[in-house]
Amino acid sequence: QLNAFFTIFVKGAYMLVQSNQKVVFLALLSVTLLFFSACATKVKTAKFTTSELRGKTAQTKILILKPHVAIHQMAMGGIIELKADWTETGTKNLNQALEEIFQEKNIAVKILKNPPGQNNANKQKFQLIQAVGKSIYSHYYLKHLPSKKKFNWSIGKTLDGFDDQFDPDYILYVSIEATLATGERQALGLVTALVFGVHIPMGHSTGIAYLVETKTGDIVWHNRTYGGAMRELKWAKITLRNVLSDFPK
């Protein structure tokens, strides 16, 4: 009887969530934005060695490596599945948001649509950039390296000729991942919270980006913060502006 009651309760909560899906989403979004707004003046997530971009010409050039976007869906039972169509849409929105936001900053950008191929001379440089980025993430968010006291990371002077035609001053890498709960999962979360006072995971989102100076190979800026669903251009822009907080000017 208890199981039957719980099932009926979950179904009722699901119908409530479905009928007021937009209201529930906006409520959750408002709470999230209020939380991060309250934290914004207290917590700085970006780490950097400079606040000023230095280009070889009047307009700074940034080569953006193929952005990484992955959007998953969490089913009622907690199973997580990559949504290929959402990811494809999110990638398109992120690319457009990158172009528009850097155009506002008067920075010339070139976005690579694909990573360097197997026989491309830039493949090892690309892998090295990713490896250092992972080391930064591991150091600050997983396990600290005892010898690392300051933010001074570099891949060395290895980036000459990375893109001779564009000749970038900097290379930028952006990664955004999100896991979104289904309506059934949201309903289950509502019931378990109200009846048992237990919180169950409802998904997460993470945005990571870092900037490498091509002349020196130094990582001059790095940020890790919350990401976003990216399924609409307006939300992709909001997410990207947050990920690019304290970006050098």
Side-chain angles (χ1 to χ4, degrees):
Q1 290 183 343
L2 183 60
N3 286 339
F5 172 75
F6 185 74
T7 301
I8 293 172
F9 199 1
V10 170
K11 287 183 177 179
Y14 172 63
M15 291 175 64
L16 179 65
V17 170
Q18 285 295 97
S19 61
N20 297 278
Q21 195 170 36
K22 189 171 183 180
V23 175
V24 172
F25 171 76
L26 290 175
L28 291 172
L29 178 64
S30 297
V31 171
T32 302
L33 291 177
L34 283 172
F35 172 77
F36 283 106
S37 296
C39 294
T41 56
K42 300 178 182 179
V43 180
K44 288 287 187 179
T45 56
K47 297 171 178 59
F48 47 88
T49 60
T50 181
S51 58
E52 183 179 352
L53 295 174
R54 296 174 295 179
K56 294 184 282 291
T57 60
Q59 188 178 38
T60 303
K61 297 180 181 180
I62 296 179
L63 178 68
I64 303 175
L65 301 177
K66 184 181 186 300
H68 170 73
V69 177
I71 304 178
H72 302 80
Q73 185 177 62
M74 181 183 290
M76 185 173 72
I79 297 174
I80 297 175
E81 175 190 5
L82 177 67
K83 301 294 287 185
D85 53 341
W86 294 358
T87 297
E88 182 180 356
T89 300
T91 300
K92 291 178 180 177
N93 288 336
L94 178 58
N95 286 342
Q96 185 173 342
L98 282 164
E99 290 177 351
E100 293 184 11
I101 288 176
F102 279 111
Q103 186 176 18
E104 293 172 7
K105 297 176 179 289
N106 192 32
I107 295 174
V109 297
K110 176 181 177 180
I111 303 175
L112 296 183
K113 304 302 181 183
N114 297 293
Q118 282 294 125
N119 299 322
N120 193 309
N122 291 328
K123 183 174 177 61
Q124 288 186 332
K125 299 174 184 178
F126 176 75
Q127 292 174 332
L128 184 57
I129 291 172
Q130 287 189 310
V132 174
K134 289 178 180 178
S135 295
I136 295 174
Y137 178 84
S138 177
H139 171 62
Y140 287 103
Y141 306 105
L142 298 177
K143 186 177 181 180
H144 284 268
L145 298 173
S147 60
K148 272 287 184 184
K149 304 298 182 183
K150 296 181 179 180
F151 182 76
N152 56 342
W153 301 79
S154 179
I155 65 171
K157 297 181 179 181
T158 62
L159 296 175
D160 286 341
F162 195 92
D163 189 318
D164 288 328
Q165 187 175 3
F166 185 61
D167 192 23
D169 302 299
Y170 298 89
I171 295 175
L172 175 68
Y173 179 73
V174 180
S175 171
I176 296 177
E177 295 193 3
T179 299
L180 311 175
T182 62
E184 293 91 341
R185 181 73 177 183
Q186 294 176 40
L188 179 63
L190 180 62
V191 171
T192 55
L194 291 175
V195 178
F196 304 107
V198 176
H199 167 75
I200 63 172
M202 299 294 288
H204 68 278
S205 59
T206 305
I208 299 173
Y210 46 93
L211 187 68
V212 188
E213 186 177 32
T214 53
K215 181 180 179 181
T216 62
D218 294 342
I219 311 294
V220 297
W221 172 89
H222 181 284
N223 194 25
R224 173 196 179 271
T225 183
Y226 70 95
M230 310 297 291
R231 288 187 291 167
E232 293 183 34
L233 180 59
K234 63 179 180 179
W235 297 118
K237 287 183 178 179
I238 291 173
T239 297
L240 185 58
R241 290 187 193 281
N242 180 62
V243 172
L244 295 178
S245 63
D246 290 320
F247 193 84
K249 299 178 180 179

